[in-house]
Amino acid sequence: MNRTKGDEEEYWNSSKFKAFTFDDEDDELSQLKESKRAVNSLRDFVDDDDDDDDLERVSWSGEPVGSISWTIKETAGNSGSTHEGREQKSRNNFSSYGQLSKPVSTYSLSSLFKGRTRFGSFQSLSDALSDTSAKSYAPELGRPKGEYRDYSNDWSLSDTVRRLRKGKVCSLERFRSLQDKLQLLEEAVSMHDGNVITAVLIFLKRTLSKEILFRELEVRQVALRHLIHFLKEIGDQKLLLDLFRFLDRTDELALSHYREHLNIQDPEKRKEFLKTCVGLPFSAEDSAHIQDHYTLLERQIIIEATDRHLESAGQTEIFRKHPRKASILNMPLVTTLFYSCFYHYTEAEGTFSSPVNLKKTFKIPDKQYVLTALAARAKLRAWHDVDALFTTKNWLGYTKKRAPIGFHRVVEILHKNSAPVQILQEYINLVEDVDIKLNLATKFKCHDVVIDTCRDLKDRQQLVAYRSKVDKGSAEEEKIDATLNNLHIRWKN
Amino acid sequence: MAAHLSYGRVNLNVLREAVRRELREFLDKCAGSKAIVWDEYLTGPFGLIAQYSLLKEHEVEKMFTLKGNRLPAADVKNIIFFVRPRLELMDIIAENVLSEDRRGPARDFHILFVPRRSLLCEQRLKDLGVLGSFIHREEYSLDLIPFDGDLLSMESESAFKQVANMMIRMKREFTGSQNSVFPVFDNLLLLDRNVDLLTPLATQLTYEGLIDEIYGIQNSYVKLPPEKFAPKKQGDSGKDLPTEAKKLQLNSAEELYAEIRDKNFNAVGSVLSKKAKVISAAFEERHNAKTVGEIKQFVSQLPHMQAARGSLANHTSIAELIKDVTTSEDFFDKLTVEQEFMSGIDTDKVNSYVEDCIAQKHPLIKVLRLICLQSVCNSGLKQKVLDYYRREILQTYGYEHILTLYSLEKAGLLRPQAGGRNNYPTIRKTLRLWMDDVNEQNPTDISYVYSGYAPLSVRLAQLLSRPGWRSIEEVLRILPGPHFEERQPLPTGLQKKRQPGENRVTLIFFLGGVTYAEIAALRFLSQLEDGGTEYVIATTKLMNGTSWIESLMEKPV
């Protein structure tokens, strides 16, 4: 501390700034420190029993023994004394402590970047904000006496700001005229210290009308950014929205308002709040999304109420067999669609919970719809529904299989839901690209498809190679042998 | 423990010593026995500069994590809170202090803000009626923490958002400070992350970069799944497999790690197997030791050999874990798409792999990282493409992510193309960002760190040192933000005489974060024989694409 004090004096004396001397040296404290030093004379630990390897001691979890996070767990758990032994053995604990007395290097990086010393003072910056100067005179405990003298002094504008920056107490009340206040702000901004700027802004916010504050900040962008950050931090949503409105920053205004919904837990209230967001000045694209967000929550509230009732009544088979894992409230649209395909697949389009209704209301693209419905129905192993999903009838009444997502994706999803081989086989056969088809069939062990495809390709070599992959004596092996021995096939290789 | 910090061209250990000294000074101000209550986030960074033993030496008897309600019982005179200046933490502190007041003997409270005091926080404490309870309220400028012999980081969470402020501050502080210190750096290069938004979005392919991508390195520690690290002892039939994550420290103090950390992952396997041969050969030596002297010598080498073997075992396990990921089909597909984007292929259409990722509900961050990469490689997306992606994301992951999409747009990561012009091809060609013939085993160019893509930031640094930026003025005009060069005249007495063949030292400061792959690329340049420049790297945050996007996402309340 003595050293720091010395440095500080040196700084003030050598700098071009006017030197202040503060009488805030706490003698008692430094004495205590001295005595504590004496009492706490260091014991030098010598490792005697550890081997020479340069590895740190590490507990199983990998925390080096004696590291801070390791120790928090240890000392919080018990008295800590049991670890003393371990502690003392741990190597290199004081490797740097021994260098305490060495002169400190002059080129610490932070000294490169900073022009001042740290640990200068410990007065509160916020004292500057005391509403009335009378209050500021009230002594507080733990303060050196000398400090109070400073209140009465009339600091010049730049001195005031400099004092604020050093964390010294300073009253701003005497800056009464608008011009003074703005100069104060500009001085603070020129110091590039966020704390000081914020301190001045809080003062201005209290003493200026909203209109004047906004008007002046509009031409002072740095200070404006600080005010916006400050308002966000303290959650003064109202003033923030006023500010955005004044600045005509419509997108930030809209988003800032919309963000609030995240803080509302009650679904009804959240829904009502979202309703107020619908008219906000979003881009056309985003307006539609916000509208959808509102509509979706509205639907979810209805569905949730009905389904919770059905589930607890215990009369509906689907809820008995597959109890719901969580409420559907606040889930994304696609998740809601999945839910509705799972629990309400057969419902008529008129009901809010029917998949078709969701698809129409939210203009869900075909692809997205088919993917989701497929996943839901496959999970329930409702293969008939899966089949219907891809069956289209043309006007002559012929049926045809068609998949907007491509049958290879269908197969992947079916496999993920552990569909039986017959079902997989059926859809692999619908894959048009032969290479992909073979690949999938091999991956999912649909032997018949592999064998038939090789036969159709007249690819003898591939079939021979596949034979080594199937079980000995299995039906597949037999079929492969039969195919290979079939004299009617004209193999290409 | 910190010896690796002094290996570099500039001895960074002095920095560590300086912050340790300040910590001791603060602790000594609070006389008597102490308990420290930690903001948990800070234990990581503090762990890099001090161990508990240092604190204990200064009468710290207990340590707790900052939590609501009352403090755990502790028979100490002082309670010191080590916290970041954040409002929500102030609320917890006030709760602690108030419940403490009501019971037991009086004690002294202190608060240490890291890295800076904040008016807002003190105001909050005042509003909660506890500000007067604190005797010492100070700040501890743990600004730049030495991570390695050539690496410093501020580890500030929301660094990217504050970049602009930092720039101004640093400029002020540079001009404010006197040149009375001996210059250790010849050049200072400040690189704003805004200049190169591309690099962090790509998947890093160096060993260290992949560890970070897959497991996340925090304050030089990584937590790994424990299965591969189970102690293999005879008779121990794997009955009690550890369930707690294995935590390892990664830095250049470990010889093997120093050798492989910056290599392309494809070159790591061969080094590990060579090392394995050397070590088993060394252990075999014991059969040749015949005389007492020979045996003694062998025994004296044992600890070193055992350490090397342990290190090899660890890194073999890590490499296996990584290989499981990098050989997966999905990793390959993702990498292919990234490389297509970076080499300028099909950046103006909806990408089918990205579409699939959304349909299968892959993690949102992964999706956003890819889309942002596409946007940056196309100087913004076509409105139609952007709208499509946005709708898919909002419908699949939730409408509230409109807020996330907006922050990404504000940060310039995901935006519509302005004026229908794509500048990326010009930048790519002029700066040679895409190299087709990349040598992963014995690299000849920095592009090896991304197996083809040369990080833009590092290429700029490389060109600055030779032949200078005058050659690429056209590209500098296209890149975002202004650029400026400043010369700082030195008093003649301080000018250093350079030995012939001695390299210049450049401090390169990444404002807004740096990735491990970029660090690797800079180390590669430092090691070039005819490079002429060695780099010391400083940054506001060690980051990767995932942690970056995460920091820009709307946090769930």
Side-chain angles (χ1 to χ4, degrees):
Chain A
M1 191 159 165
N2 290 331
R3 194 199 56 76
T4 313
K5 173 83 178 160
D7 275 3
E8 191 178 16
E9 261 161 25
E10 196 178 281
Y11 168 69
W12 286 111
N13 293 332
S14 62
S15 71
K16 59 184 182 283
F17 305 126
K18 211 196 307 176
F20 302 110
T21 42
F22 300 118
D23 196 13
D24 56 6
E25 169 66 311
D26 192 342
D27 282 328
E28 207 179 36
L29 201 68
S30 62
Q31 274 169 11
L32 269 175
K33 199 185 118 196
E34 284 306 316
S35 65
K36 205 222 60 165
R37 267 229 174 112
V39 172
N40 197 24
S41 60
L42 304 178
R43 294 152 295 170
D44 238 338
F45 299 127
V46 183
D47 338 308
D48 42 6
D49 58 346
D50 255 26
D51 47 18
D52 292 347
D53 67 356
D54 233 37
L55 295 179
E56 286 177 69
R57 288 174 146 259
V58 169
S59 67
W60 162 248
S61 66
E63 303 276 8
V65 169
S67 78
I68 286 175
S69 42
W70 178 82
T71 316
I72 290 180
K73 286 178 210 142
E74 297 290 312
T75 63
N78 48 47
S79 72
S81 60
T82 49
H83 301 283
E84 222 140 316
R86 232 192 295 180
E87 211 42 54
Q88 291 180 8
K89 269 188 246 161
S90 118
R91 297 189 68 247
N92 293 331
N93 276 348
F94 303 108
S95 58
S96 50
Y97 205 78
Q99 296 165 18
L100 183 61
S101 53
K102 282 189 192 162
V104 180
S105 158
T106 45
Y107 52 84
S108 89
L109 248 198
S110 42
S111 73
L112 267 179
F113 295 128
K114 317 191 72 157
R116 63 193 172 97
T117 52
R118 274 171 246 112
F119 287 6
S121 66
F122 41 85
Q123 283 84 8
S124 159
L125 262 174
S126 64
D127 287 337
L129 302 173
S130 321
D131 284 12
T132 62
S133 40
K135 202 168 151 194
S136 311
Y137 285 108
E140 275 179 62
L141 286 171
R143 280 287 150 76
K145 280 187 218 97
E147 188 187 314
Y148 297 104
R149 214 181 43 202
D150 296 339
Y151 283 102
S152 53
N153 288 343
D154 272 356
W155 303 99
S156 76
L157 201 124
S158 56
D159 288 343
T160 303
V161 170
R162 203 163 292 125
R163 280 180 66 75
L164 280 177
R165 186 174 161 207
K166 291 221 72 190
K168 299 277 176 188
V169 186
C170 216
S171 164
L172 303 177
E173 297 300 323
R174 47 180 218 81
F175 297 98
R176 295 237 171 79
S177 73
L178 178 61
Q179 200 194 352
D180 280 355
K181 286 175 186 172
L182 292 176
Q183 265 179 18
L184 185 67
L185 182 62
E186 265 155 28
E187 187 72 24
V189 169
S190 70
M191 297 293 274
H192 302 290
D193 188 313
N195 273 329
V196 181
I197 299 173
T198 309
V200 174
L201 282 171
I202 293 172
F203 170 67
L204 296 189
K205 175 175 167 262
R206 206 181 66 233
T207 58
L208 289 177
S209 80
K210 207 162 66 182
E211 290 70 26
I212 296 175
L213 178 67
F214 291 173
R215 188 190 69 208
E216 296 300 335
L217 288 187
E218 195 177 9
V219 292
R220 291 171 177 82
Q221 287 293 316
V222 176
L224 179 65
R225 274 204 299 277
H226 275 88
L227 183 67
I228 291 172
H229 178 75
F230 168 68
L231 293 177
K232 277 183 184 163
E233 278 285 302
I234 63 166
D236 191 340
Q237 187 69 10
K238 198 180 158 301
L239 195 62
L240 190 63
L241 293 182
D242 285 346
L243 177 59
F244 285 145
R245 211 166 288 134
F246 175 86
L247 296 169
D248 214 22
R249 291 198 189 167
T250 50
D251 51 347
E252 283 191 66
L253 173 71
L255 282 162
S256 188
H257 182 78
Y258 172 72
R259 181 179 286 111
E260 279 292 289
H261 86 267
L262 293 169
N263 297 323
I264 304 170
Q265 295 309 319
D266 180 71
E268 268 307 324
K269 285 186 186 147
R270 188 184 267 212
K271 184 191 84 181
E272 285 314 308
F273 184 86
L274 284 174
K275 197 173 182 180
T276 68
C277 298
V278 170
L280 292 173
F282 285 104
S283 69
E285 237 359 83
D286 287 348
S287 284
H289 293 315
I290 301 291
Q291 170 73 54
D292 281 351
H293 191 174
Y294 165 71
T295 316
L296 180 64
L297 184 56
E298 191 183 41
R299 291 292 174 87
Q300 286 171 338
I301 290 173
I302 297 169
I303 298 173
E304 177 67 22
T306 320
D307 287 4
R308 199 188 306 134
H309 178 74
L310 284 176
E311 191 176 22
S312 59
Q315 299 295 309
T316 321
E317 196 195 348
I318 180 89
F319 290 113
R320 270 214 315 274
K321 267 178 142 172
H322 305 277
R324 303 185 314 149
K325 289 195 185 76
S327 132
I328 193 61
L329 293 173
N330 297 320
M331 292 294 166
L333 175 62
V334 170
T335 314
T336 311
L337 179 64
F338 180 90
Y339 176 95
S340 126
C341 287
F342 196 90
Y343 289 110
H344 304 278
Y345 196 59
T346 51
E347 273 170 30
E349 199 186 316
T351 67
F352 280 150
S353 47
S354 91
V356 187
N357 190 310
L358 285 176
K359 180 174 190 279
K360 280 209 167 148
T361 310
F362 296 98
K363 300 192 188 69
I364 298 171
D366 254 358
K367 246 183 180 176
Q368 184 70 270
Y369 179 80
V370 169
L371 268 175
T372 313
L374 170 63
R377 299 323 286 172
K379 197 164 189 82
L380 284 169
R381 311 181 74 76
W383 309 123
H384 184 72
D385 290 338
V386 170
D387 190 60
L389 207 49
F390 302 108
T391 309
T392 50
K393 264 194 190 131
N394 70 7
W395 58 280
L396 283 172
Y398 295 118
T399 61
K400 204 187 157 204
K401 297 273 187 178
R402 214 174 52 85
I405 51 174
F407 280 107
H408 63 286
R409 291 289 303 283
V410 176
V411 173
E412 299 267 0
I413 293 168
L414 288 173
H415 179 257
K416 219 192 269 168
N417 288 288
S418 37
V421 173
Q422 311 86 275
I423 303 279
L424 279 180
Q425 218 154 280
E426 186 185 328
Y427 287 94
I428 292 178
N429 270 324
L430 290 166
V431 175
E432 276 179 30
D433 186 303
V434 181
D435 288 336
I436 298 177
K437 189 203 265 189
L438 253 180
N439 230 325
L440 285 171
T442 314
K443 197 158 129 196
F444 300 139
K445 299 200 166 61
C446 293
H447 307 297
D448 284 347
V449 181
V450 179
I451 298 165
D452 294 348
T453 311
C454 286
R455 189 195 57 209
D456 294 347
L457 290 171
K458 309 199 188 318
D459 192 340
R460 189 187 163 87
Q461 276 176 12
Q462 183 147 352
L463 192 56
V464 171
Y466 192 71
R467 189 178 182 276
S468 63
K469 288 183 198 159
V470 301
D471 295 335
K472 289 267 170 304
S474 62
E476 299 85 71
E477 199 187 45
E478 255 174 57
K479 181 168 177 180
I480 293 173
D481 288 341
T483 312
L484 287 172
N485 294 329
N486 186 336
L487 298 171
H488 299 290
I489 304 170
R490 301 178 61 185
W491 300 104
K492 71 172 182 190
N493 52 25
Chain B
M1 187 201 140
H4 60 289
L5 299 178
S6 30
Y7 295 154
R9 261 300 288 280
V10 176
N11 183 355
L12 298 183
N13 206 26
V14 297
L15 284 179
R16 187 169 178 273
E17 288 309 320
V19 285
R20 285 166 69 93
R21 173 170 43 79
E22 281 169 15
L23 184 60
R24 289 193 293 258
E25 281 170 2
F26 174 74
L27 290 173
D28 287 345
K29 275 189 195 174
C30 315
S33 57
K34 310 167 183 61
I36 296 181
V37 183
W38 287 94
D39 170 357
E40 204 161 12
Y41 181 89
L42 291 177
T43 57
F46 267 84
L48 292 168
I49 58 150
Q51 286 210 311
Y52 178 51
S53 50
L54 181 142
L55 304 176
K56 207 171 150 203
E57 203 49 44
H58 293 259
E59 295 181 272
V60 175
E61 290 178 0
K62 299 260 178 166
M63 307 219 284
F64 309 114
T65 316
L66 184 62
K67 276 194 210 98
N69 283 321
R70 45 169 54 185
L71 293 163
D75 185 19
V76 290
K77 182 160 184 301
N78 299 282
I79 306 264
I80 313 177
F81 294 91
F82 278 32
V83 288
R84 287 166 296 165
R86 299 178 60 140
L87 291 179
E88 64 272 20
L89 299 181
M90 299 305 114
D91 296 348
I92 302 176
I93 291 177
E95 218 178 307
N96 283 174
V97 171
L98 290 172
S99 58
E100 195 71 9
D101 272 346
R102 273 181 249 119
R103 62 163 191 196
R107 10 168 139 236
D108 294 344
F109 290 104
H110 315 277
I111 190 163
L112 188 64
F113 289 109
V114 184
R116 234 158 287 290
R117 283 173 73 170
S118 135
L119 170 70
L120 285 181
C121 287
E122 296 190 1
Q123 183 66 34
R124 173 68 66 101
L125 290 174
K126 189 167 194 173
D127 292 345
L128 295 166
V130 295
L131 188 71
S133 312
F134 294 99
I135 296 179
H136 291 298
R137 292 191 301 271
E138 301 204 349
E139 66 181 24
Y140 183 64
S141 308
L142 193 58
D143 271 344
L144 282 163
I145 307 161
F147 273 67
D148 233 302
D150 59 355
L151 180 60
L152 300 156
S153 175
M154 298 170 66
E155 287 307 288
S156 114
E157 308 144 281
S158 51
F160 183 68
K161 293 179 187 162
Q162 301 162 353
V163 165
N165 271 340
M166 271 289 305
M167 282 291 280
I168 298 163
R169 248 195 70 153
M170 302 235 333
K171 234 186 146 213
R172 170 205 10 137
E173 290 185 341
F174 269 118
T175 43
S177 66
Q178 294 290 311
N179 285 324
S180 55
V181 289
F182 194 80
V184 281
F185 302 115
D186 302 291
N187 296 310
L188 168 74
L189 174 58
L190 292 177
L191 260 181
D192 190 322
R193 194 74 266 176
N194 279 311
V195 174
D196 173 15
L197 298 171
L198 196 167
T199 305
L201 294 169
T203 303
Q204 309 170 69
L205 296 176
T206 57
Y207 181 53
E208 186 167 45
L210 275 167
I211 297 177
D212 186 44
E213 293 278 348
I214 298 168
Y215 297 107
I217 301 175
Q218 299 286 341
N219 298 300
S220 84
Y221 283 92
V222 66
K223 281 186 186 160
L224 298 159
E227 298 81 31
K228 296 238 180 192
F229 297 91
K232 285 195 192 86
K233 279 178 191 154
Q234 269 131 18
D236 184 16
S237 54
K239 51 190 169 199
D240 31 45
L241 274 173
T243 47
E244 206 180 333
K246 169 91 172 166
K247 203 169 170 186
L248 282 175
Q249 186 168 27
L250 301 171
N251 62 37
S252 291
E254 188 184 349
E255 204 181 305
L256 175 62
Y257 189 62
E259 188 180 340
I260 56 176
R261 65 193 301 184
D262 299 321
K263 286 193 184 302
N264 185 296
F265 183 64
N266 285 335
V268 167
S270 62
V271 177
L272 289 180
S273 74
K274 253 182 243 158
K275 274 276 134 82
K277 275 178 205 141
V278 171
I279 288 174
S280 36
F283 273 99
E284 284 308 305
E285 280 292 305
R286 70 181 185 278
H287 300 303
N288 302 335
K290 296 283 189 288
T291 69
V292 175
E294 279 167 359
I295 291 171
K296 206 173 164 190
Q297 198 190 343
F298 177 81
V299 169
S300 74
Q301 285 169 351
L302 258 180
H304 181 75
M305 285 160 58
Q306 265 157 354
R309 188 168 65 175
S311 166
L312 180 71
N314 279 343
H315 288 290
T316 309
S317 299
I318 298 175
E320 275 171 13
L321 286 168
I322 292 176
K323 207 168 166 100
D324 288 347
V325 175
T326 55
T327 50
S328 72
E329 203 178 321
D330 188 62
F331 185 88
F332 179 80
D333 290 347
K334 181 181 75 166
L335 205 62
T336 311
V337 171
E338 282 183 12
Q339 301 210 335
E340 278 172 12
F341 287 160
M342 291 190 289
S343 49
I345 299 168
D346 284 346
T347 51
D348 58 350
K349 340 180 158 123
V350 171
N351 182 282
S352 64
Y353 174 75
V354 175
E355 239 184 326
D356 279 358
C357 285
I358 298 174
Q360 295 172 43
K361 219 168 174 186
H362 284 208
L364 177 59
I365 291 190
K366 174 186 177 184
V367 171
L368 291 174
R369 222 176 132 166
L370 281 167
I371 298 178
C372 290
L373 181 69
Q374 183 177 359
S375 171
V376 174
C377 291
N378 198 55
S379 304
L381 294 170
K382 281 189 177 159
Q383 192 67 49
K384 225 175 62 191
V385 176
L386 182 60
D387 287 345
Y388 178 81
Y389 281 145
R390 283 174 60 103
R391 201 185 63 229
E392 291 278 300
I393 287 170
L394 296 178
Q395 292 191 341
T396 307
Y397 298 93
Y399 290 107
E400 64 275 15
H401 290 293
I402 217 167
L403 297 162
T404 298
L405 295 176
Y406 182 78
S407 347
L408 292 174
E409 179 165 345
K410 223 173 150 193
L413 285 170
L414 181 61
R415 57 184 181 85
Q417 202 175 62
R421 275 189 50 131
N422 181 2
N423 288 323
Y424 178 68
T426 316
I427 300 172
R428 189 186 75 235
K429 280 175 209 144
T430 316
L431 299 182
R432 293 180 296 118
L433 296 185
W434 186 260
M435 308 292 277
D436 278 320
D437 49 342
V438 56
N439 187 338
E440 292 169 347
Q441 305 292 332
N442 300 298
T444 52
D445 181 73
I446 56 170
S447 55
Y448 85 93
V449 298
Y450 287 96
S451 292
Y453 165 73
L456 195 160
S457 54
V458 182
R459 189 67 98 203
L460 283 177
Q462 186 185 13
L463 289 166
L464 180 64
S465 88
R466 193 177 295 170
W469 278 355
R470 235 169 308 168
S471 59
I472 52 164
E473 261 173 0
E474 195 196 334
V475 164
L476 290 178
R477 264 199 302 279
I478 304 176
L479 289 174
H483 68 280
F484 51 85
E485 284 180 64
E486 239 175 64
R487 277 180 197 284
Q488 209 175 13
L490 279 176
T492 38
L494 287 173
Q495 280 183 8
K496 198 160 49 166
K497 295 207 173 53
R498 206 176 303 278
Q499 305 292 321
E502 190 188 332
N503 286 334
R504 303 172 71 82
V505 180
T506 292
L507 173 65
I508 174 165
F509 204 129
F510 285 85
L511 300 163
V514 68
T515 65
Y516 289 99
E518 288 173 298
I519 294 168
L522 284 166
R523 286 185 182 142
F524 170 79
L525 292 180
S526 290
Q527 281 156 17
L528 282 185
E529 265 178 35
D530 54 350
T533 304
E534 281 179 53
Y535 295 92
V536 174
I537 304 145
T539 184
T540 47
K541 180 102 180 83
L542 289 160
M543 50 111 79
N544 62 40
T546 300
S547 63
W548 195 23
I549 303 266
E550 216 163 37
S551 74
L552 291 166
M553 275 175 85
E554 192 62 31
K555 307 282 178 308
V557 184

